[in-house]
Amino acid sequence: MTPRTAAAGGADILTRKWTAEPVFAILLCVIVGLRLALPFNAPVGGLVGLLLVPLWLPLLRRARLFVALAALLVAATVAGVLLTWWMSTDHLALPSSLVERSALALGLLGAVGALLWARTVIGLSAVSIAYGVGMTLGILGEIDATASWRFTFSIPLTILLMAIAARGDRLMPQLVVVVLLAAVGVVNDARSNTAMLLLAAVVLIWQRIGRVAGSARRRAGNVVGVVLFGIAVFFVAQAAILEGFFGEATKDRTQAQISTSGSLLLGGRPEIAASEALIRLNPWGMGSGIVASPTDVTAAKSSMAAIGYDPHNNYVDRFMFGGGIEVHSMVGDFWLWFGLPGLAACVVVAVIAGMGLERALREGACTVLAVYLATRLVWDLAFSPAVSAMKTLPLALVVLAVPVSALIAQRSSVRQGAPQGAAAADRRGT
């Protein structure tokens, strides 16, 4: 997209006639990003999105992957209930957990649908910024004595600032934001988020070099390139941490994790071993309302002990197995809660992200926000609790929604009377 096209898209946002529909779309994005919760942690934004099914369901007609995701999330919810009923003969079942996790899966569907519809009304850039505003407003309810950059401020501010910086398709504003956020992360022990920021910057520069050179990359080249960059950033960041560039506290913690299991990933996420043990015992899943039995807990702890981690602590007893099953991985959670439909939903999520990022890189239209969201999505699938993954997953899927982007751009152009440049801007993403 040329600077003139970007300017046209931006001017359309600034000169838009703000009728009730775009105002409602903005508020909807803010609410979804804010993640207000009803009893049983049911997300308000997701539930509102479910009520708006007639608005966004037609958008899925040409998006097979999103149709598959919608069907799988519904099937996963049903499977979670059936598995809970089946496993309750020899396991304790908690109805509250069943309702909460069912609301999580259906809330994801509603949130994605709501954002897809909002994109047809206000465009992807406005959706991303409004979502970031919602996440940032959510910080107000989390500010207390335990608030920190790593756990409270980093992700909401990263999303908001990246969304703003990406509007004009200019390289320097995006790099400046990434460098500033990475610098703050370095001094606040935010290892994973800082590594994601550095990867986003590297991929963005790589794309711009290819655009200037006028070279086209094949699909395999894009995928392999991002994977290799990711591996390189991981090892460079690990080496920098062990050399003390992130501070002595981060260095000591990282060294201890590597010494425990021989790997930073296993040492930092010993829940992987617990997931493997539980899935091996229950390959069809356990149910969204099931509490792990003593046999399950013993198997999980034994697997964690085998990698050098001491599992006899409050974190394992209370967080992981105190009120259900939580293995600190969206894939693990969905597999154990919802069975094979939950696993299949995670696979479709990963495919949507991979296809979206590859298409954007191939067209030279990728932004730092898209790379960051795709990277965080993959990280959350493997290493974050499903509840935590929901913070950014709806926006990531909409930003990377290649199959519906052309249809959305067409509907936006017709609905708003937008210039051709604005439609092109929406096709390229935020």
Side-chain angles (χ1 to χ4, degrees), residues 122 189 197 248 269 362 368 412:
I122 57 177
D189 194 24
L197 291 168
E248 289 302 316
R269 291 272 72 90
R362 180 156 43 93
V368 70
S412 298

Side-chain angles (χ1 to χ4, degrees), residues 82-93 286 290-291 293:
L82 295 177
L83 283 169
T84 298
W85 169 74
W86 179 262
M87 296 288 289
S88 62
T89 56
D90 56 2
H91 284 71
L92 174 65
M286 300 180 68
I290 289 297
V291 177
S293 68

Side-chain angles (χ1 to χ4, degrees), residues 152-399:
T152 308
F153 300 100
S154 62
I155 296 178
L157 292 179
T158 295
I159 297 297
L160 177 59
L161 295 177
M162 280 187 172
I164 294 173
R167 281 191 59 212
D169 190 35
R170 296 192 299 272
L171 178 64
M172 288 310 299
Q174 297 183 70
L175 290 183
V176 168
V177 166
V178 169
V179 170
L180 290 177
L181 291 169
V184 175
V186 166
V187 300
N188 285 277
D189 194 24
R191 296 177 301 178
S192 60
N193 199 63
T194 300
M196 293 177 200
L197 291 168
L198 295 177
L199 176 60
V202 170
V203 172
L204 187 65
I205 293 172
W206 177 57
Q207 173 190 252
R208 292 307 173 100
I209 292 174
R211 184 190 296 184
V212 171
S215 59
R217 299 186 181 93
R218 296 183 180 274
R219 291 186 176 183
N222 285 325
V223 174
V224 172
V226 173
V227 170
L228 291 178
F229 283 136
I231 294 172
V233 167
F234 172 79
F235 283 107
V236 169
Q238 178 176 287
I241 290 171
L242 295 177
E243 289 295 327
F245 287 99
F246 283 61
E248 289 302 316
T250 304
K251 174 184 175 181
D252 294 341
R253 184 163 65 93
T254 303
Q255 185 61 65
Q257 291 171 342
I258 295 175
S259 300
T260 296
S261 62
S263 165
L264 179 57
L265 291 178
L266 275 180
R269 291 272 72 90
E271 302 91 342
I272 296 173
S275 303
E276 185 274 333
L278 292 176
I279 291 171
R280 184 159 28 89
L281 285 174
N282 306 279
W284 304 106
M286 300 180 68
S288 50
I290 289 297
V291 177
S293 68
T295 300
D296 298 322
V297 175
T298 298
K301 287 186 173 183
S302 298
S303 187
M304 297 171 82
I307 64 170
Y309 176 80
D310 181 7
H312 303 290
N313 54 61
N314 286 336
Y315 171 76
V316 174
D317 293 334
R318 295 184 180 180
F319 177 78
M320 293 183 64
F321 302 119
I325 299 171
E326 174 53 68
V327 293
H328 216 286
S329 161
M330 181 177 167
V331 171
D333 286 343
F334 267 48
W335 194 340
L336 292 169
W337 296 349
F338 305 122
L340 296 184
L343 173 63
C346 291
V347 172
V348 172
V349 164
V351 171
I352 291 173
M355 289 181 59
L357 185 62
E358 186 280 324
R359 174 74 172 270
L361 286 169
R362 180 156 43 93
E363 295 182 349
C366 201
T367 66
V368 70
L369 177 63
V371 180
Y372 174 82
L373 286 172
T375 307
R376 175 153 289 283
L377 182 150
V378 173
W379 176 269
D380 288 343
L381 284 173
F383 304 120
S384 295
V387 174
S388 298
M390 296 303 119
K391 293 179 180 179
T392 58
L393 183 56
L395 179 64
L397 290 173
V398 173
V399 168

Side-chain angles (χ1 to χ4, degrees), residues 95-121:
S96 59
S97 294
L98 186 149
V99 173
E100 180 176 340
R101 288 160 182 172
S102 298
L104 182 145
L106 295 177
L108 172 60
L109 174 60
V112 172
L115 295 181
L116 283 174
W117 172 79
R119 181 173 168 175
T120 69
V121 179

